[in-house]
Amino acid sequence: VLSLFLYAVDVVLFFIAEAIILISLWAAFRAYRTFTRPLDLIAAGIESIRDQDFNTKFVPIEGGEIGRLVETYNQMIDQLRQERVKRQEQHYFLERLIDASPLGIVVLDLDDRVASINQAGREMLRVGKTDPQGRLIRDFPDPFGPVLAGLKSGETTIINVSGIQAYKGSTFHFVDRGFPRQFILIEELTREIMAVQKKAYEKVIRMMSHEINNSVGAVNSILHSSLPYRSRLSPEEASDFAAALQVAIDRNTHLNRFMSNFADVVRLPAPVMEPSDVHRLLRSVQVLMSAECRRRRIAWTWELSPGPLMVAMDVQQMEQVLVNVVKNALEAIEENGTVTVRTAAEGARSLTIIDSGKGISPEERAQLFSPFFSTKRDGQGIGLTLIREVLLNHGFSFGLESVGQGHTEFRIEFR
């Protein structure tokens, strides 16, 4: 406004004043941008970090505070981007490692509910296709749920399933955002424990068999040699003498047969695998046991899949397995019952034998298939031990458990 008064006095001074005003405005704008540009850069950087956009960088500026600010920001963004990529790669690797691990891994959240579980854990805990996330660990099937729920961090226990499989369950914890979270490791020890058991009882049986056979043979020889001496005794004494010797001989023979049954388990040969029809084998076992079934009024129910069920197996060994399984089923029924035979040839090929007996108690189920364990008063436990060894040598999965109203189900899954 003041420069307008110069226009009436001196036009040249007016234009000089106008030029100075324009230069001042330009200088003021540059000064304002110099002060506000770092704030704009900081605001833009904060927005990028807030949006986790670590790919946006500023164009480098040579010299000055702005240049150093841009350089520092770009370095920070590069480091954040590298850390995020590294973290994502490590997280991806950890997920793949957990999924591929043979150990069952169950990670719990802060409320001790299942946050994640790998494939091995699903199979061991038998959750199938259901989604276990959000469930409490104690809600999982027996015996895993109750046992694992009672473990504290750092504790380890052994879990037996139907006397066949053995698992080691361990609980640990880690810190997540300042709060402790637990995770559970489940490791199958079945093969290791069975190998140790087999090695131990093989050594004991061989030693016992060697000592008993040597003693029984020598004692029986002496007893037979003593029989001619009865002629020197009176008739009454001779009769008692002969009876006593015969009892001793029969007892030695029984003892020899007893040890022979144990030795058969140790001397079990490797299976000779040949394709065979399971249905035909089952029919032959039925014929073998038909007299016993008629005597005790036990009926057979057949639920066979259409056509033959061809499986690679050692026929003689598998026949012995089925005879033992059916014999146990008949003994469980006693009389007036049913044996149901069911096969599946599609998908997971299997054989299931169900008896309508009294079932298996939880205490007995935990010991089933343990070496030489028997629920019978005079049982030796040879049958189930032989079954276990034959099926394991064949590579077949199997299980024995009570279902429904006291029914017992023996299931074999073929490869």
Side-chain angles (χ1 to χ4, degrees):
V1 173
L2 293 175
S3 66
L4 292 177
F5 291 101
L6 293 175
Y7 183 78
V9 178
D10 189 340
V11 176
V12 176
L13 289 176
F14 169 76
F15 283 106
I16 292 174
E18 290 295 324
I20 293 173
I21 291 172
L22 292 175
I23 292 172
S24 299
L25 292 174
W26 177 80
F29 178 76
R30 287 295 304 270
Y32 172 78
R33 292 294 301 158
T34 301
F35 285 112
T36 60
R37 190 173 183 185
L39 299 178
D40 294 339
L41 291 175
I42 292 173
I46 290 174
E47 287 297 323
S48 297
I49 294 174
R50 181 181 299 163
D51 296 336
Q52 296 187 3
D53 180 10
F54 302 144
N55 296 314
T56 301
K57 297 171 61 176
F58 294 134
V59 177
I61 299 175
E62 296 294 334
E65 296 293 335
I66 300 299
R68 288 195 295 272
L69 178 62
V70 168
E71 181 181 3
T72 301
Y73 175 82
N74 289 341
Q75 290 177 354
M76 180 182 66
I77 288 296
D78 287 337
Q79 187 173 359
L80 289 174
R81 184 175 62 254
Q82 292 173 3
E83 289 294 331
R84 183 171 69 175
V85 171
K86 182 179 179 181
R87 186 186 65 180
Q88 290 176 341
E89 290 175 347
Q90 289 177 343
H91 183 69
Y92 179 80
F93 171 73
L94 183 60
E95 285 185 341
R96 300 285 77 77
L97 181 64
I98 290 175
D99 287 339
S101 173
L103 299 178
I105 302 176
V106 183
V107 181
L108 306 181
D109 59 18
L110 297 177
D111 297 323
D112 290 336
R113 295 181 179 273
V114 176
S116 64
I117 180 172
N118 66 345
Q119 184 60 33
R122 289 175 175 270
E123 294 174 358
M124 293 179 185
L125 295 177
R126 303 176 182 180
V127 297
K129 297 181 179 180
T130 60
D131 187 6
Q133 292 188 356
R135 292 174 56 184
L136 291 170
I137 196 68
R138 65 169 176 266
D139 295 335
F140 281 84
D142 291 339
F144 289 99
V147 174
L148 294 177
L151 288 181
K152 297 180 180 179
S153 180
E155 292 184 344
T156 299
T157 188
I158 301 298
I159 304 171
N160 290 314
V161 181
S162 298
I164 304 172
Q165 292 134 334
Y167 298 88
K168 182 176 75 171
S170 305
T171 303
F172 303 93
H173 76 276
F174 64 99
V175 178
D176 179 17
R177 289 166 291 182
F179 296 94
R181 288 178 57 184
Q182 289 189 333
F183 66 97
I184 299 172
L185 297 182
I186 307 172
E187 180 181 4
E188 185 171 4
L189 303 177
T190 306
R191 293 186 179 275
E192 290 79 0
I193 291 179
M194 286 186 176
V196 172
Q197 288 178 344
K198 186 175 181 180
K199 186 176 181 180
Y201 69 67
E202 281 182 353
K203 183 177 180 180
V204 172
I205 289 175
R206 286 196 176 98
M207 181 183 66
M208 291 174 59
S209 180
H210 175 75
E211 294 297 328
I212 290 177
N213 287 338
N214 288 344
S215 300
V216 167
V219 171
N220 272 352
S221 178
I222 294 173
L223 292 175
H224 282 290
S225 300
S226 301
L227 284 174
Y229 287 95
R230 64 183 175 179
S231 60
R232 302 182 183 182
L233 302 174
S234 63
E236 292 182 1
E237 292 176 339
S239 178
D240 293 340
F241 178 75
L245 289 182
Q246 190 59 49
V247 168
I249 292 172
D250 293 343
R251 187 59 188 170
N252 279 344
T253 303
H254 175 76
L255 180 60
N256 193 28
R257 191 180 303 113
F258 179 84
M259 283 307 306
S260 178
N261 290 335
F262 283 103
D264 288 342
V265 178
V266 177
R267 293 194 298 262
L268 189 66
V272 179
M273 310 293 277
E274 295 180 353
S276 304
D277 186 5
V278 176
H279 294 169
R280 178 179 298 178
L281 184 58
L282 288 168
R283 294 293 184 183
S284 67
V285 172
Q286 183 202 21
V287 172
L288 182 64
M289 309 298 291
S290 59
E292 182 72 11
C293 291
R294 284 195 300 270
R295 184 179 68 83
R296 295 161 60 181
R297 298 184 296 278
I298 297 176
W300 286 63
T301 301
W302 299 90
E303 300 177 7
L304 304 183
S305 60
L309 176 57
M310 303 301 295
V311 175
M313 60 183 176
D314 188 310
V315 177
Q316 292 183 346
Q317 292 186 12
M318 284 301 297
E319 183 180 34
Q320 188 63 40
V321 166
L322 295 180
V323 167
N324 277 282
V325 172
V326 173
K327 181 181 177 183
N328 289 339
L330 298 181
E331 292 175 350
I333 295 173
E334 295 181 355
E335 64 179 17
N336 294 325
T338 304
V339 173
T340 303
V341 181
R342 182 182 302 147
T343 61
E346 299 295 332
R349 301 186 302 166
S350 63
L351 162 64
T352 306
I353 298 176
I354 307 171
D355 66 69
S356 58
K358 58 184 179 181
I360 306 172
S361 67
E363 294 77 13
E364 293 173 345
R365 185 161 54 246
Q367 297 295 323
L368 288 176
F369 297 100
S370 297
F372 312 116
F373 170 79
S374 177
T375 59
K376 305 169 190 175
R377 179 178 299 176
D378 300 325
Q380 303 173 17
I382 299 294
L384 287 179
T385 303
L386 180 65
I387 291 171
R388 187 187 79 167
E389 293 300 322
V390 171
L391 294 180
L392 286 176
N393 291 342
H394 278 71
F396 298 157
S397 301
F398 59 98
L400 177 63
E401 58 184 12
S402 292
V403 293
Q405 297 295 326
H407 289 48
T408 302
E409 176 182 290
F410 191 98
R411 179 180 175 87
I412 303 174
E413 295 183 356
F414 304 110
R415 290 185 298 176

